[in-house]
C-alpha cells in the first residue's frame, strides 16, 4: 500500500514546511544581502567592524540553536519554531521602527546586537524543521523533498533584486518592514502545524505508527475482500501444482540442511 495516504491532516505537513521555507527565503533575500551596506552607510562602521559582526553571527547561531533544541524537548518542536520566528520578526520590525522614527537611527551599539539576535533566532529553528520533515516524509521521497531546497535558494536570490531596488529608492527601513511582513506570514503558516505535530517527539512517532497501521488496514481491506472470490474462481486448481512440487524430506536433504551455515544476524529484529 505505498499509494495509501495518512488518514488525517499529517500528509500536508511537508507541504506547509516547504511553503513556509519558501516565503521565509523570499523575505530574507530582500534584506540579508544588504545588511553589510546598511552597516557601512547608515551605521558608519568600517569594513573591519562589519566583518567582526559576521564573525560573531555563527557563534550566536550555534548557541541559540543548542538552546532551542534543548527547549523543544519540553515545549515542542513546532512551538519553538513559531516562538523563534516570531521573536526574530519582532526584532527586525524593531530595527525598522528605530531606523524610521527614533534618535537611535544608525546607532551601532543598538542596531548590531539586535541584528545578531534576530539572525540567530531566525536560523535556530532550521534543525527542528528538518527533523519534522524527516518524520513525516517516507524514506523513498526524502531526497525529492530535500532537492526542493534549491527552489527556496533560487527565490532567496531572486528577491534580492527587489530588495536592492527598494533600498535605493526608499531606504533600508522599508525593506526591513516588507521582509518582516513576509516572514511574519510564513510564521503564521507554520503555526497551523501546532495541532498536527505532537509536543513530544516520542508521541509523534507513536502517532505515525498508528496512522501507518490504520492506513495499511484500509488499503488491505479491499485486497482481503477480493481473496474469497479469487479462491472460488480458482476452485483449488492452482494449489495442486504447488503441492505436487513439494518433496518429502529425506535423510540426504536433512543432512545437507544441517551442514549449511546459520543465517547472519540482522538489525530488523
Amino acid at each position: 500500500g505505498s499509494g495509501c495516504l495518512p488518514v488525517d491532516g499529517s500528509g500536508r505537513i511537508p507541504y506547509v514546511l516547504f511553503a513556509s521555507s519558501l516565503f521565509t527565503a523570499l523575505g530574507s533575500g530582500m534584506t540579508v544581502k544588504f545588511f553589510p551596506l546598511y552597516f557601512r552607510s547608515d551605521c558608519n562602521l568600517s569594513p573591519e567592524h562589519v566583518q567582526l559582526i559576521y564573525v560573531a553571527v555563527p557563534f550566536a547561531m550555534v548557541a541559540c540553536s543548542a538552546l532551542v533544541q534543548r527547549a523543544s524537548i519540553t515545549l515542542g518542536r513546532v512551538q519553538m519554531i513559531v516562538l523563534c520566528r516570531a521573536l526574530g520578526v519582532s526584532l527586525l520590525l524593531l530595527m525598522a521602527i528605530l531606523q524610521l522614527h527614533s534618535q537611535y537611527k544608525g546607532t551601532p551599539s543598538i542596531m548590531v546586537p539586535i541584528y545578531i539576535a534576530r539572525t540567530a533566532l531566525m536560523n535556530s529553528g532550521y534543525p527542528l524543521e528538518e527533523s519534522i520533515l524527516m518524520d513525516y516524509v517516507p524514506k523513498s521521497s526524502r531526497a525529492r523533498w530535500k532537492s526542493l531546497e534549491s527552489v527556496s535558494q533560487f527565490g532567496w536570490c531572486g528577491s534580492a533584486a527587489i530588495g536592492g531596488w527598494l533600498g535605493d529608492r526608499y531606504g533600508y527601513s522599508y525593506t526591513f518592514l516588507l521582509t518582516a511582513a513576509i516572514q511574519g506570514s510564513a510564521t503564521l503558516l507554520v503555526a497551523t502545524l501546532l495541532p498536527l505535530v505532537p509536543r513530544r517527539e516520542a508521541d509523534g512517532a507513536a502517532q505515525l505508527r498508528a496512522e501507518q497501521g490504520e492506513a495499511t488496514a484500509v488499503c488491505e481491506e479491499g485486497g482481503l475482500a477480493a481473496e474469497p472470490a479469487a479462491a472460488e474462481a480458482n476452485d483449488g486448481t492452482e494449489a495442486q501444482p504447488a503441492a505436487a512440487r513439494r518433496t518429502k524430506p529425506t535423510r540426504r536433504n536433512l543432512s545437507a540442511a544441517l551442514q549449511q551455515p546459520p543465517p547472519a544476524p540482522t538489525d530488523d529484529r
Side-chain angles (χ1 to χ4, degrees), residues 38 42 92 95-100 105 167 170-178:
Y38 165 74
D42 289 29
L92 184 60
M95 289 185 68
I97 294 174
L98 292 177
Q99 189 69 16
L100 283 172
K105 175 181 178 180
Y170 301 103
Y172 294 110
S173 300
Y174 291 95
T175 62
F176 294 168
L177 289 173
L178 186 56

Side-chain angles (χ1 to χ4, degrees), residues 16 32 40 46-47 67 95 103 220 249 256 267:
V16 173
V32 171
R40 183 72 181 92
S46 65
L67 293 175
M95 289 185 68
Q103 60 181 344
E220 292 179 350
D267 296 332

Side-chain angles (χ1 to χ4, degrees), residues 72-137:
S72 67
I73 299 175
T74 304
L75 300 179
R77 290 179 290 179
V78 177
Q79 286 78 0
M80 290 306 302
I81 293 173
V82 173
L83 177 61
C84 291
R85 286 196 180 187
L87 291 175
V89 170
S90 301
L91 290 176
L92 184 60
L93 187 61
L94 178 61
M95 289 185 68
I97 294 174
L98 292 177
Q99 189 69 16
L100 283 172
H101 310 290
S102 174
Q103 60 181 344
Y104 301 108
K105 175 181 178 180
T107 305
S109 60
I110 300 295
M111 295 301 185
V112 171
I114 294 177
Y115 166 75
I116 293 176
R118 174 259 168 199
T119 305
L121 286 167
M122 288 299 297
N123 291 277
S124 61
Y126 177 75
L128 299 180
E129 295 177 31
E130 288 294 301
S131 68
I132 295 174
L133 183 65
M134 294 300 103
D135 284 347
Y136 288 90
V137 169

Side-chain angles (χ1 to χ4, degrees), residues 58-74:
F59 292 98
M61 290 172 56
V62 170
C64 189
S65 179
L67 293 175
V68 168
Q69 292 185 51
R70 183 179 296 272
S72 67
I73 299 175
T74 304

